[in-house]
Amino acid sequence: MLSPARLLGFAFTNADFLFEMDTGGTILFAAGAANDLVKESGETLVGQPAGKLFKPSEGVKFATFAKALKSGDRAGPFKLTLATGIDANLAMFRLPENGANISCTLVRPGARMPAGPQKDAETGLASREGFLAAAEKAGDRDALTLVHVPGLPELCAQLPPAGADALLQRIGDSIQTAGASAAGRLSQTSFAALAPATKGALNIAGKLNEAITAGGLIPPRIAETRLGLQGAGLSAEQRLLSMRYVIDQFAEKGRLGSHSGDLGSVFTGMMEQTQQRLAVMTRTVGDGAFEIAFQPICDLVTAKVSHYEALARFQNPEGTEATVKFIEALGIANVFDLAVAAKVLNLIEQEADAQIAFNISGATIASPASFGMLAAILAEIANWRRAP
């Protein structure tokens, strides 16, 4: 039989503060590092509203998360600001065997490893997730080097398992000795490195040629391109988001190695296109220059229309799906959500009986400013409908 102390030990392995609440939001149990995360001790908190643990605007989000949680559901982590002013990651779980009660944990940001593997086991380099985390810390005095090794899995297949393992390890070692401040494996055939721009070209392609030749194989034509991270007309945040987007595209497509000619110019063109697209998309979203389609949602029993779902539609060559992904990747989803909400509000003012639902991204919920503006828009709709 498991003892309470043992269960608490497991719980605190990945949490700093624990609390349980009922469906009304009243705290039933609290334990952990209460001194530096919340204002009162765990014993004092029992019987009090869980929402008081958070600053008022964040308490609204917390209540929304809790109400949406069904039996057996997990949610989070959500980054929220506590009443003490400290940020913490909230995770929630409604265990079916625990009735309707909700178990919650609070963790200080940075106290645990980020989600996702941080290291590629075959090369010893950072994984794609780990490298992206490092890339977000890069500045405009750094340079990004991307390398594509076409057919690398096929090369490994020509060797016995031990030889393939040794080849991938040599590749990882070669990149780590190139003088980069951070290096990672983006995909099965692509690699990336960050280094101060003053270091010049890293010649990773040459090092990988030697590593492949050492295994008795004929190396393919390895493509290496280098890009400074300065971006004219972009803020530091926009520059890094643009870089992340380009890294994602490179990892997914891996097609630069098939080009003949100036690959540096090809990649620079990709970056410039991304930056231009960001500027255009920011204006499009800000101006509301997109259409809204209304999808009827029907009751399956009565076949009657219950309400309509608002769906954005972009009349551009990329299409709606690719455009929405781009908006999310470039960090302007919260602005887009507010633009959709404003369009819906305008329609409701014209059609008093309209029942319309629209989707909200996690970025909007997590941003106090965006969430506050959205709440104001919804309050305006409610007040307008109540008016005689």
Side-chain angles (χ1 to χ4, degrees), residues 143-148 191-193 204-205 222-228 250 256 262-268 270:
L144 174 68
T145 298
L146 294 178
V147 180
H148 179 63
F191 303 87
I204 293 176
I222 300 174
E224 176 176 344
T225 187
R226 177 174 175 271
L227 180 74
F250 184 86
L256 287 181
D262 186 355
L263 295 179
S265 298
V266 172
F267 185 76
T268 300
M270 287 175 60

Side-chain angles (χ1 to χ4, degrees), residues 7 24 32 34 60 72 82 84 129 155 159 184 216 223 236 248 259 335 357 366 379-380:
L7 292 174
V60 175
L82 301 174
T84 56
E129 292 78 10
L155 284 174
L159 300 170
D248 284 342
H259 287 276
V335 179
E380 184 176 347

Side-chain angles (χ1 to χ4, degrees), residues 127-253:
S127 67
R128 177 174 168 179
E129 292 78 10
F131 182 77
L132 286 171
E136 289 178 355
K137 301 173 185 176
D140 58 2
R141 296 184 178 181
D142 291 316
L144 174 68
T145 298
L146 294 178
V147 180
H148 179 63
V149 186
L152 181 56
E154 290 75 14
L155 284 174
C156 291
Q158 298 177 33
L159 300 170
D165 291 344
L167 170 60
L168 292 172
Q169 189 60 60
R170 283 197 305 275
I171 286 175
D173 292 343
S174 297
I175 295 176
Q176 287 179 333
T177 59
S181 53
R185 187 179 189 183
L186 303 181
S187 69
Q188 291 295 303
T189 60
S190 59
F191 303 87
L194 281 168
T198 53
K199 280 187 173 291
L202 300 180
N203 190 28
I204 293 176
K207 295 178 182 297
L208 296 191
N209 265 305
E210 294 175 3
I212 294 171
T213 303
L217 300 172
I218 299 175
R221 185 175 181 180
I222 300 174
E224 176 176 344
T225 187
R226 177 174 175 271
L227 180 74
L229 299 187
Q230 67 277 7
L234 290 179
S235 67
E237 182 180 33
Q238 288 174 325
R239 181 186 65 251
L240 293 179
L241 286 169
S242 297
M243 179 178 61
R244 183 185 180 99
Y245 177 77
V246 171
I247 288 173
D248 284 342
Q249 292 297 302
F250 184 86
E252 290 171 10
K253 297 179 179 179

Side-chain angles (χ1 to χ4, degrees), residues 313-332:
R313 292 292 181 263
F314 289 87
Q315 303 299 323
N316 55 16
E318 293 82 9
T320 298
E321 181 180 0
T323 301
V324 171
K325 286 183 178 179
F326 182 81
I327 287 172
E328 293 172 345
L330 271 295
I332 55 174

